[in-house]
Amino acid sequence: MGDQGESFADLAHRLVQALDAWVTCVGEPTAEGKPTRKALVKALETERATPVWQSRKRIDEALLSYWLKGRNQLLPGTKHNRLPSKEDCEAIARALREKAPENAQRLPKIGWEIAELARSLQDTGGPGWRNRVLTSVIAQPAEPVEPNETAEPAEVAKPAAHAEPVDAAKSAEPVEPARAAEAVEVGEQKTGKRRGKNGRIWAGAATAAGVAGTIAVFVWLGGEEPSSVSTKPDGSATSAQGADVAKPGPATSTESGSVEGNHRCGKPRSAGAVSWTPCTLLAADGTMSFLVQLTNTSGTPVTVKAKLAYVQAAVEQTCPDPWGALMKVTVPAKATKTSPLNACTASLTSGQAFQSRAWVVPDDTAQWGYREHSPTLHVQDDGTPVWADEV
């Protein structure tokens, strides 16, 4: 990790991904009271009162809340507390072992990754490296690839040398099942709100990178764009990708390149040098394709692992294999690839809502990281499909 050929931007991508994975691993069980934050901190303090653990650094509720900001703790101008170390994560894992055993098993590996990436970023970036991490996570324009380059099914990748053995079936599962409220919230944020995952406005970055840089960082790191729809001079609507969304579009092939037709895509996320986003495409025949679009921002081919599912009426539905379990995809340099239209499909159902759900992680990562959703497609009682931004 962090060899001489890895750039500051690549390391920064991986650090924010690890911090998001930490939030998922610790935040979800504590949000469900398994255990609560107060109970978790109390267990940590009880352990620390014993002679064998007295030398361990204290983790109080304020520090735990700070770590649960995820990548937001790296915002320029934010007070810099220490990042969670491997020792911190091992202690929290012991406290989670009874009520969240799977999370407890994953957490030390995440802590090791955060510590190693932070060390490499400090060596590469020098003093002030934390203020530069978020401004370096900016996607570059993608170039089209040849249509004959398609993703191939993959064998389950072996964990890296430092990772603990992971069961192949478990490695293809999400970190935790999504809560229904969260799934709906992702797709139904209203136009004009520029807020991050925790509802905080991305303000401080403006002074660090200028207005143009701030917008790019905001969009890349998961902030809501003002709208996924723009308006033509005649008043008709077009998507951000330029496709007509006033009527259902044709089901064009998306094995390579960008999504076309009547569709919506979610917030961009990063898996190393690959920017990815889940998309839902509505065809003229009333079927939906649930997709994931992958863009390689680097100058060399990058391989990632991807998994697709979709949410129907706030319930997760599994996509067929291989995309529903684990798909290894190599994205050429400065290129975009999208999963095939027939990889995961469903028909419209009156009175229900749909959205894509995807996970993408670097090829050498043993666990799935943070999931992301496409905007919601609502199917009215009369069968009319309406996107969340059109409601």
Side-chain angles (χ1 to χ4, degrees):
M1 182 176 295
D3 57 22
Q4 293 182 352
E6 197 164 16
S7 69
F8 185 92
D10 291 334
L11 293 167
H13 279 298
R14 295 173 63 186
L15 179 60
V16 297
Q17 189 82 8
L19 291 172
D20 282 350
W22 195 98
V23 172
T24 301
C25 199
V26 179
E28 290 190 349
T30 55
E32 295 172 359
K34 300 179 180 180
T36 64
R37 291 191 193 182
K38 288 184 180 293
L40 177 59
V41 170
K42 183 178 180 180
L44 291 169
E45 283 299 287
T46 300
E47 179 189 76
R48 190 166 167 269
T50 61
V52 68
W53 299 114
Q54 283 180 351
S55 61
R56 177 174 59 77
K57 292 183 179 180
R58 185 185 180 194
I59 304 172
D60 57 19
E61 194 167 354
L63 184 58
L64 183 64
S65 297
Y66 178 83
W67 288 342
L68 286 170
K69 293 179 180 180
R71 64 180 70 185
N72 285 6
Q73 63 194 285
L74 300 175
L75 279 171
T78 302
K79 178 184 176 182
H80 287 171
N81 286 324
R82 61 187 175 88
L83 298 177
S85 67
K86 185 174 183 293
E87 182 186 38
D88 295 325
C89 293
E90 287 174 345
I92 295 172
R94 290 191 293 272
L96 292 176
R97 189 175 297 158
E98 182 179 350
K99 294 187 176 181
E102 293 184 1
N103 297 57
Q105 185 178 3
R106 288 191 298 267
L107 192 59
K109 166 64 165 50
I110 298 173
W112 187 92
E113 290 180 340
I114 291 173
E116 289 298 304
L117 288 166
R119 186 179 300 111
S120 297
L121 282 162
Q122 185 174 15
D123 292 342
T124 304
W129 65 269
R130 286 179 63 154
N131 287 328
R132 294 167 46 210
V133 168
L134 296 186
T135 55
S136 71
V137 186
I138 300 173
Q140 300 175 9
E143 297 175 0
V145 297
E146 295 299 325
N148 60 349
E149 293 190 48
T150 58
E152 295 295 333
E155 298 294 331
V156 175
K158 295 181 179 180
H162 58 264
E164 297 180 1
V166 178
D167 181 77
K170 290 182 179 179
S171 69
E173 294 298 325
V175 172
E176 289 285 354
R179 296 186 297 276
E182 178 184 352
V184 173
E185 178 186 358
V186 172
E188 294 186 343
Q189 292 182 349
K190 297 299 180 181
T191 300
K193 293 182 180 179
R194 293 192 173 189
R195 296 184 182 271
K197 178 174 179 292
N198 296 322
R200 296 180 176 84
I201 299 175
W202 287 75
T207 58
V211 175
T214 303
I215 295 173
V217 173
F218 173 84
V219 173
W220 177 266
L221 296 177
E224 186 80 15
E225 290 182 351
S227 175
S228 60
V229 177
S230 59
T231 305
K232 296 180 181 178
D234 61 5
S236 61
T238 61
S239 72
Q241 289 83 357
D244 188 4
V245 298
K247 299 179 181 179
T252 54
S253 174
T254 57
E255 291 184 359
S256 294
S258 300
V259 185
E260 298 179 2
N262 186 5
H263 71 284
R264 295 290 191 276
C265 294
K267 301 174 183 177
R269 293 280 178 181
S270 63
V274 172
S275 167
W276 60 275
T277 179
C279 304
T280 299
L281 184 145
L282 175 63
D285 62 0
T287 60
M288 294 166 290
S289 291
F290 304 105
L291 311 165
V292 59
Q293 182 173 287
L294 309 161
T295 298
N296 182 1
T297 65
S298 73
T300 58
V302 176
T303 300
V304 294
K305 293 184 292 191
K307 185 175 68 163
L308 268 175
Y310 65 96
V311 178
Q312 178 178 354
V315 178
E316 180 179 308
Q317 306 294 331
T318 302
C319 292
D321 290 345
W323 285 92
L326 186 152
M327 189 71 178
K328 186 180 292 187
V329 186
T330 298
V331 187
K334 301 296 183 67
T336 296
K337 276 193 173 184
T338 306
S339 56
L341 290 176
N342 60 359
C344 188
T345 62
S347 298
L348 298 177
T349 303
S350 298
Q352 296 189 358
F354 297 83
Q355 58 184 168
S356 294
R357 175 178 290 168
W359 297 258
V360 179
V361 294
D363 184 33
D364 60 353
T365 302
Q367 307 82 268
W368 295 107
Y370 188 83
R371 63 185 176 272
E372 189 55 82
H373 302 83
S374 70
T376 304
L377 179 65
H378 298 276
V379 185
Q380 298 179 343
D381 291 339
D382 62 0
T384 302
V386 179
W387 295 105
D389 57 24
E390 297 174 334
V391 175

